[in-house]
Amino acid sequence: MSRTASSAARKPFDVCGRLPTGTTVLEASAGTGKTYAIAALAARYVAEGHVELRELMIVTFGRMATDELRVRVRERLVLLEAQLAAALGQVPPGTTVTPPDGVAALLLEVDRAELAVRHDRVCRALTDFDTATIATTHEFCLRMLDDLGVLGDPEPDGVFVEHLGDLTTEVAGDVYLRRYATDPAPLLRFDEATTLAEDVIWAGPIPLVPELGSGARADQRVGFAHEVVTEVTRRKERARYLTYDDMLTRLRAALTDPAYGQLAARRLRRRFPVVLVDEFQDTDPVQWDILRLTFHQHSTLVVIGDPKQAIYAFRGADVNSYLQVVRQSDSIATLGTCYRSDRALLEGLDAILGGASLGDPQIVVRPVVSAHHDRRLTGAGPPVRVRVVPRSDNGEPEPVARLRTRVAKDLVAEVADLLGSRAQLKLPEDQTRPVRASDLAVLVRRNAAGEQIRDALTAAGIPAVLHGSDSVFSSVAARDWLQVLRALEQPRQALVREASLTSLVGWTFPRLVAAEEGELADLSYAFRRWSRVLAGRGVAALLEVLSNDTDLSRRVLGRPDGERLLTDLRHVSQRLHAVMSSRHLGAAGLREWLAETIEQTVAEDASVGLRRLATDAAAVQVLTLHRSKGLEFPIVYLPEAWDCYVPTEDDGRVRRLHLGDREVLDVGGRDAAGRAHRYRDALAEEAGEHLRLYYVGMTRAQCQVVTWWADSRNTTTSALHRFWARSHRAGDPEPSYPPSSGPADQPLPGSAAPVPAASEPVLVVETVEPRPAVKQVPAQRPPHPLSARRFDRVLDVDWRRTSYSALTAAAHDQAVAGVSSEPEAIKEDDESLTLVSPG
């Protein structure tokens, strides 16, 4: 039986009710406990005897989410085992067992014989927990291919590669020469062709449009794209390269094989009668094909997802696949209780988001109830605050760059005022306490904006850390190391002077200009000495010598961004030392490796060498909206909700869009036939994802959301303005794209979003007034008086480290006394023999 996605088809899901069968969709909302529901369902399926743990498969879409699921499922089973043991009277006296929640109470409501059986099942599951299949989608596909053996077309000599950047660049150049070497005026430029090749290969296995015959320039682009895909596939197979996409496509090919596909599917069904899939809004058509061919209508398939949080289209995730599953499912239920946010905050957000359609009429913000009836944050104003930046004195909209600066300054002042106020926070894990910097999160679109806000907070004396997804090899520290390595390889005056201005050496430009010949000679000598240290003792020793010679730590930490820079310098040095040791490189090889890594990071946005946190102290958390998904913070700041640039003219870029239910990649460029219609559709889909991105941002908060609105050319297309203007109310027609550029007609029309009546306001609109930022100094721990430590512990001499020889010494009349271990010098005594000649 199939259902539509109408509201009537949805009912609240009771985790203590009847266990799901067939294909069931559990539609969640932010903070409604998806992981809790999965762990509870897994415990019930196992304890009630429906499946063994090894017959239960749990799939999600990221390594961190997989690790969390594994921990939560095991914790649930451990707790359930203790509760079952307590019900059977098998717990030693004095042992404290956590009281059962609703799920555990349900499992305990049976007779003693069944209790014993369920206890045995849970104990067996814990014993065999390593056999549980809790994996990412790609890990699942790889395991299934291994299990299918020859049916899965194995590649035992395959080499896994995460990216095909080098191969794509090579193929793009070869194909371009093959097509245009003799063409004096090619319609496709080389740089345009290279970018096209990279976009097409990065997109993965997705159909390309338009067809040939869409215009001369479009045909050149389409033909080139198809030829690149064919050639990359051929060379990849010849080199036996395997990518993440290959894991998916190979398993789908095995399941659709006309001769053996049904046999392969039946084998997987027998192994996994129950399948639970988390974060299903991040699936794609290939992943759904695998689940559909294998388990849909054959096994118990429970998919849990929140289409309102589908924000990874740039990685290939396709929310339309989720909507297709909704249409084909046997039942649909919702998780309707939010365990994250206060009730007042949900009411304030509902005034902005409630009933809004996020890019599709089937993706609607539905009401949820809160498990937290009282406000946990006091003294900080209403739970939702919208701060409006007024227009300039002449009434004209200001440039976007200037408005961004004004918003950033106001954000710093807001944070400073809050940390200097008497605001109190009460979370379940601790008593009522003042708000700390670590309770605040600033969510931005890009890491570049995050760095600017982090620097502004740090300059105001407010500790802040950026949880970036950028690589340390794109940092200033990496470039400084590269300059120093060049000078160490060839200590010529020009290179030495250039390297002296880096953070590793610490000279300033005025000092370099005023330096006398003697100082420059000493500097050159220092570089030659450091070069010998590098050659003889490695990068770690070089960093230690540099630190001592240039007072590196004190000097760098004196800068506003000192902790960040020092962390990056040490991080790069550790990577350099590891590479130098493993590859036996000298200064020239090390310099070349670092230069290539920096270039690759910039060109491909590589994830190698993700930057470490600069400090573990209490600090404001600055991170991107994408990275914040799955996290929660007491107070959330959204400084960019008003700012969304949409090009008014077609830029000719490759774009994803849907033609019906089919996702395609438009590679034809701006001159292709039908491009205008496809371009508008692509922008509309991107606009829907933009709304979902800010739904994610607003729902990260536990107690308060502070956001900004400013009148600019980027405002009408922004999430906050569109939410407030109610342009995406469920049932309202979708707006046309591209939207008209220009300032908003009126700032935040209050009549468009009525605020629910309450004893205290849940949403306020405030005007940003000029004010200086309050200087905040991070709290310093009072220094402890120095004193010599005293050893006042008692040694437990009953424990010791010993050897087999010592244990058997008594049998050989050897005395053993005290706490001992075998010294290395007489290790061979264990194997000594006494030779006795016969007779």
Side-chain angles (χ1 to χ4, degrees):
M1 180 180 64
S2 176
R3 292 177 180 263
T4 66
S6 65
S7 301
R10 287 164 169 79
K11 58 184 179 181
F13 176 70
D14 183 6
V15 74
C16 297
R18 183 179 177 182
L19 282 172
T21 58
T23 299
T24 301
V25 174
L26 300 185
E27 184 174 298
S29 292
T32 52
K34 298 190 297 293
T35 306
Y36 174 89
I38 290 176
L41 286 175
R44 285 194 61 189
Y45 278 116
V46 171
E48 295 179 19
H50 297 279
V51 290
E52 295 283 340
L53 186 61
R54 65 176 180 274
E55 299 172 324
L56 173 68
M57 181 170 67
I58 303 176
V59 180
T60 187
F61 292 89
R63 291 192 183 97
M64 293 181 64
T66 301
D67 293 340
E68 182 186 3
L69 267 177
R70 182 176 292 275
V71 170
R72 295 285 290 275
V73 170
R74 191 178 191 283
E75 286 177 347
R76 165 62 81 169
L77 292 175
V78 168
L79 181 59
L80 181 58
E81 186 279 328
Q83 292 163 339
L84 289 168
L88 292 168
Q90 299 177 0
V91 175
T95 303
T96 302
V97 178
T98 303
D101 61 0
V103 174
L106 174 69
L107 294 173
L108 294 174
E109 291 178 356
V110 291
D111 57 39
R112 185 175 180 82
E114 180 62 19
L115 277 177
V117 172
R118 291 184 175 185
H119 183 255
D120 289 342
R121 291 171 183 156
V122 174
C123 288
R124 190 163 57 250
L126 287 171
T127 302
D128 300 333
F129 191 79
D130 288 342
T131 65
T133 302
I134 304 175
T136 66
T137 305
H138 297 98
E139 290 171 343
F140 151 69
C141 291
L142 191 59
R143 292 185 189 183
M144 297 307 99
L145 287 170
D146 290 340
D147 288 348
L148 291 175
V150 295
L151 297 179
D153 189 20
E155 190 76 48
D157 299 329
V159 178
F160 177 76
V161 292
E162 190 168 352
H163 302 288
L164 293 172
D166 293 340
L167 181 61
T168 302
T169 302
E170 174 188 308
V171 168
D174 292 347
V175 171
Y176 191 85
L177 287 175
R178 187 162 61 205
R179 292 173 66 94
Y180 303 113
T182 59
D183 190 341
L187 295 177
L188 187 64
R189 301 191 313 272
F190 178 72
D191 58 339
E192 183 183 357
T194 302
T195 302
L196 174 62
E198 292 171 350
D199 291 342
V200 169
I201 298 303
W202 172 259
I206 179 173
L208 306 181
V209 295
E211 301 292 338
L212 293 175
S214 299
R217 289 183 59 84
D219 286 351
Q220 293 296 315
R221 291 176 59 90
V222 172
F224 181 83
H226 279 290
E227 192 168 346
V228 165
V229 171
T230 301
E231 186 64 16
V232 166
T233 302
R234 187 183 70 82
R235 296 190 190 186
K236 183 181 68 173
E237 292 176 352
R238 186 177 62 187
R240 298 185 181 276
Y241 288 159
L242 295 175
T243 65
Y244 286 119
D245 288 334
D246 290 329
M247 299 178 190
L248 300 172
T249 55
R250 285 184 177 228
L251 182 55
R252 182 176 64 174
L255 296 171
T256 55
D257 184 90
Y260 304 108
Q262 288 297 323
L263 177 62
R266 285 196 298 269
R267 182 169 180 175
L268 295 182
R269 290 173 201 144
R270 285 196 301 268
R271 180 172 178 186
F272 298 111
V274 176
V275 179
L276 308 178
V277 186
D278 189 21
E279 300 289 356
F280 197 71
Q281 76 278 352
D282 294 330
T283 191
D284 63 34
V286 179
Q287 295 167 6
W288 168 233
D289 279 348
I290 292 170
L291 295 172
R292 178 181 57 81
L293 294 167
T294 310
F295 305 112
H296 179 53
Q297 302 297 335
H298 299 283
S299 303
T300 295
L301 175 62
V302 181
V303 299
I304 303 177
D306 182 3
K308 302 183 295 299
Q309 298 188 62
I311 58 174
Y312 292 119
F314 69 95
R315 294 182 183 174
D318 179 16
V319 71
N320 283 44
S321 296
Y322 174 91
L323 300 178
Q324 182 181 355
V325 177
V326 170
R327 292 191 292 270
Q328 298 177 4
S329 64
D330 299 307
S331 61
I332 307 170
T334 61
L335 301 176
T337 301
C338 179
Y339 299 94
R340 172 181 299 157
S341 304
D342 295 343
R343 180 173 63 180
L345 174 59
L346 292 181
E347 291 175 354
L349 292 178
D350 188 65
I352 299 176
L353 307 175
S357 172
L358 308 186
D360 189 283
Q362 300 179 69
I363 306 176
V364 179
V365 181
R366 307 179 191 280
V368 294
V369 298
S370 174
H372 305 284
H373 298 288
D374 299 326
R375 289 200 65 189
R376 292 170 289 177
L377 175 67
T378 58
V384 179
R385 299 169 56 208
V386 181
R387 296 187 56 77
V388 177
V389 179
R391 287 186 176 182
S392 59
D393 295 337
N394 59 13
E396 294 296 325
E398 295 184 54
V400 174
R402 186 181 302 170
L403 287 172
R404 289 170 180 166
T405 302
R406 291 181 64 183
V407 169
K409 289 181 178 179
D410 189 63
L411 183 150
V412 172
E414 279 293 311
V415 171
D417 286 351
L418 178 62
L419 295 179
S421 70
R422 296 184 178 181
Q424 299 287 308
L425 183 67
K426 180 177 175 59
L427 296 178
E429 63 271 12
D430 55 17
Q431 300 297 319
T432 301
R433 59 170 176 79
V435 173
R436 295 192 288 252
S438 56
D439 298 322
L440 317 182
V442 181
L443 307 184
V444 295
R445 289 286 302 276
R446 302 167 304 278
N447 281 314
E451 289 182 353
Q452 293 172 359
I453 290 176
R454 187 270 319 277
D455 292 343
L457 289 167
T458 303
I462 302 171
V465 293
L466 175 65
H467 298 260
S469 58
D470 55 335
S471 171
V472 72
F473 294 109
S474 64
S475 66
V476 173
R479 295 191 291 273
D480 283 356
W481 266 110
L482 183 60
Q483 296 289 356
V484 169
L485 287 175
R486 286 171 176 162
L488 294 177
E489 178 192 359
Q490 298 180 9
R492 301 195 303 266
Q493 269 297 321
L495 295 176
V496 166
R497 294 187 182 196
E498 190 175 2
S500 69
L501 299 176
T502 64
S503 57
L504 284 162
V505 182
W507 279 38
T508 62
F509 188 74
R511 179 183 176 183
L512 181 62
V513 171
E516 297 180 353
E517 288 298 326
E519 290 181 282
L520 295 176
D522 291 341
L523 180 64
S524 297
Y525 174 75
F527 269 90
R528 290 187 176 89
R529 178 166 54 85
W530 294 336
S531 179
R532 291 193 296 270
V533 172
L534 174 65
R537 297 162 57 192
V539 181
L542 172 63
L543 180 62
E544 185 68 23
V545 172
L546 279 170
S547 299
N548 293 331
D549 291 353
T550 68
D551 198 14
L552 179 67
S553 296
R554 184 196 61 78
R555 177 168 46 77
V556 172
L557 290 175
R559 299 171 46 159
D561 61 342
E563 282 187 312
R564 171 75 274 161
L565 180 57
L566 187 61
T567 300
D568 288 344
L569 288 171
R570 289 173 173 171
H571 189 179
V572 175
S573 73
Q574 291 171 11
R575 296 300 302 272
L576 289 171
H577 187 83
V579 170
M580 184 178 186
S581 301
S582 62
R583 303 188 184 183
H584 306 289
L585 300 178
L590 206 59
R591 186 263 310 155
E592 183 177 356
W593 177 86
L594 181 57
E596 291 178 354
T597 304
I598 291 174
E599 182 180 359
Q600 179 184 9
T601 301
V602 173
E604 300 181 9
D605 191 23
S607 59
V608 61
L610 292 181
R611 299 175 82 176
R612 301 167 179 170
L613 291 184
T615 177
D616 58 359
V620 177
Q621 314 296 303
V622 184
L623 65 164
T624 62
L625 288 157
H626 286 98
R627 193 175 180 85
S628 73
K629 186 172 177 292
L631 304 178
E632 60 183 28
F633 310 94
I635 302 170
V636 167
Y637 294 89
L638 297 169
E640 297 179 312
W642 60 276
D643 185 2
C644 177
Y645 171 73
V646 176
T648 55
E649 296 182 359
D650 189 352
D651 52 12
R653 289 169 45 200
V654 171
R655 293 188 178 274
R656 288 177 179 267
L657 71 149
H658 287 81
L659 298 179
D661 288 334
R662 187 174 65 127
E663 187 181 30
V664 297
L665 197 70
D666 187 357
V667 300
R670 63 171 62 91
D671 299 318
R675 170 73 178 195
H677 178 71
R678 292 193 300 273
Y679 180 69
R680 286 194 299 269
D681 289 347
L683 286 185
E685 292 186 22
E686 292 176 8
E689 178 151 330
H690 185 72
L691 292 177
R692 297 193 292 272
L693 188 64
Y694 275 93
Y695 169 85
V696 170
M698 292 182 181
T699 55
R700 297 310 92 196
Q702 296 171 286
C703 304
Q704 187 181 62
V705 170
V706 182
T707 187
W708 280 260
W709 189 95
D711 190 8
S712 74
R713 293 185 175 275
N714 290 357
T715 303
T716 55
T717 52
S718 68
L720 180 60
H721 186 83
R722 293 167 63 201
F723 279 135
W724 200 280
R726 318 309 286 152
S727 62
H728 272 51
R729 276 287 192 182
D732 286 355
E734 294 287 326
S736 61
Y737 283 89
S740 59
S741 62
D745 295 333
Q746 53 180 333
L748 288 176
S751 60
V755 179
S759 57
E760 296 182 3
V762 295
L763 184 152
V764 296
V765 178
E766 307 165 344
T767 301
V768 173
E769 301 291 348
R771 57 179 178 177
V774 179
K775 185 73 174 181
Q776 291 286 319
V777 179
Q780 300 290 334
R781 296 180 179 178
H784 295 285
L786 297 178
S787 61
R789 296 186 64 184
R790 299 183 61 185
F791 187 85
D792 53 5
R793 292 180 295 164
V794 178
L795 291 177
D796 185 357
V797 296
D798 293 332
W799 289 89
R800 63 179 181 173
R801 187 180 65 165
T802 186
S803 66
Y804 287 111
S805 300
L807 291 174
T808 60
H812 301 285
D813 296 329
Q814 298 178 13
V816 179
V819 180
S820 65
S821 63
E822 284 188 69
E824 293 295 326
I826 58 172
K827 185 174 181 179
E828 65 274 17
D829 289 351
D830 286 355
E831 301 176 358
S832 61
L833 297 174
T834 301
L835 300 179
V836 180
S837 58

